[in-house]
Amino acid sequence: MERDEIVKFLDEFLSISAYPDKSSNGLQVEGREEVNTVAFAVDACLDTIVKARAFNADMLIVHHGIIWGGVNYVKGLFAKRLRELMKAEMNLYVAHVPLDAHPEVGNNAQLLKLLGLEPKEPFGEYRGVKIGFIGEFEEPKPLPMIAQILAEKLPVDYVKSYEFGLQEVKRVAVMSGAGGFAIEEASEKADLLITGEFTHADYRTAEDLRLTVIAAGHYATETLGVKALMPIIREKFGVKTIFIDSPTGL
């Protein structure tokens, strides 16, 4: 399959140009034109690039790329990552905020689906656009049950609950990765916020607002989008796909 056909589809399907983002989304690094194997990963770190190369991947699709807002110098770690990609003639495609926000394959929509919920309304304003979602149970659910489901279904060692608010929750707001910026909005619209990482400042904010939060891991909550995208690319373009796991435990 031609690289440009895959890129065109991804740009349109993920609405790459619709979201303000410090990440340079889309095709960040151009490699060979013909694509037979596509690797998927959360991060374009050396570990995933080297593993993708070992699988003879022609394209690597990730959530976190190697270019954030532009390139001033090609040296140091950036040069090492770029060198590995160029040696392999591997294309690097990046979808950061667009893959958080997508209503079907996005990290946040997929987080809700783990709980048997559908995105009911947009949530989590980021630079003027909503990139998370709120779902709602028909009947309130006990917090330990929700945490257990996430612990069983996500690739994470532990799920941490911060029980500042309700123990029985009905409305659930989700914001994968570093979702602390959405705590205040979540406190106004939901009973529970599910996010990835939870900082000291986040703790104090949620505590003061009496909002219950579940932190399920930055990495774990952002494996969902690329995994959901895999079968779509495989079936539409007839390419081989592989997910490259490189967990941080965070």
Side-chain angles (χ1 to χ4, degrees):
M1 178 54 59
E2 292 293 321
R3 171 200 63 223
D4 293 346
E5 289 299 310
I6 299 176
V7 169
K8 180 181 178 182
F9 170 77
L10 287 169
D11 285 350
E12 294 175 356
F13 180 68
L14 297 173
S15 301
I16 286 294
S17 63
Y19 297 95
D21 197 349
K22 62 182 178 180
S23 170
S24 298
N25 295 309
L27 187 66
Q28 279 196 357
V29 178
E30 186 177 280
R32 61 176 65 95
E33 293 183 2
E34 184 176 340
V35 175
N36 295 301
T37 301
V38 181
F40 293 76
V42 175
D43 307 303
C45 57
L46 284 174
D47 183 56
T48 56
I49 295 170
V50 170
K51 287 176 179 176
R53 189 178 179 189
F55 283 112
N56 295 315
D58 306 298
M59 176 177 279
L60 175 60
I61 298 176
V62 300
H63 184 50
H64 301 134
I66 64 172
I67 301 173
W68 298 84
V71 176
N72 294 319
Y73 302 96
V74 182
K75 62 182 183 180
L77 179 58
F78 175 75
K80 289 180 181 179
R81 290 171 172 171
L82 183 61
R83 190 178 300 119
E84 287 296 323
L85 289 163
M86 299 300 286
K87 275 195 244 181
E89 295 184 79
M90 191 188 308
N91 297 283
L92 176 65
Y93 189 94
V94 178
H96 184 232
V97 167
L99 195 55
D100 287 318
H102 196 275
E104 179 185 347
V105 301
N107 291 316
N108 293 312
Q110 290 293 314
L111 262 176
L112 284 177
K113 288 180 181 180
L114 291 183
L115 300 174
L117 300 176
E118 293 295 327
K120 183 175 182 179
E121 64 183 83
F123 152 81
E125 185 169 336
Y126 175 81
R127 298 189 179 186
V129 296
K130 304 282 187 179
I131 64 173
F133 294 101
I134 290 174
E136 188 170 329
F137 294 111
E138 290 185 5
E139 298 292 336
K141 302 292 183 183
L143 183 65
M145 177 187 294
I146 297 172
Q148 182 178 354
I149 292 172
L150 293 173
E152 291 173 352
K153 294 187 176 182
L154 285 172
V156 65
D157 292 335
Y158 65 92
V159 169
K160 177 67 174 176
S161 298
Y162 298 87
E163 302 175 8
F164 300 129
L166 297 176
Q167 301 299 302
E168 298 270 333
V169 302
K170 188 172 184 181
R171 286 175 60 82
V172 180
V174 291
M175 184 61 65
S176 67
F181 71 92
I183 290 174
E184 188 167 352
E185 184 179 344
S187 72
E188 298 170 352
K189 298 179 178 180
D191 306 320
L192 167 68
L193 171 65
I194 298 174
T195 188
E197 64 182 65
F198 199 62
T199 68
H200 175 84
D202 295 338
Y203 183 103
R204 292 305 184 197
T205 302
E207 180 185 41
D208 287 351
L209 291 171
R210 312 312 301 166
L211 175 68
T212 292
V213 177
I214 290 179
H218 192 133
Y219 176 83
T221 58
E222 296 192 331
T223 59
L224 300 174
V226 286
K227 285 182 176 179
L229 191 57
M230 282 178 62
I232 293 174
I233 298 301
R234 181 172 61 247
E235 293 166 15
K236 183 172 181 63
F237 296 103
V239 294
K240 180 181 178 181
T241 58
I242 184 169
F243 175 72
I244 297 175
D245 196 20
S246 184
T248 61
L250 301 173

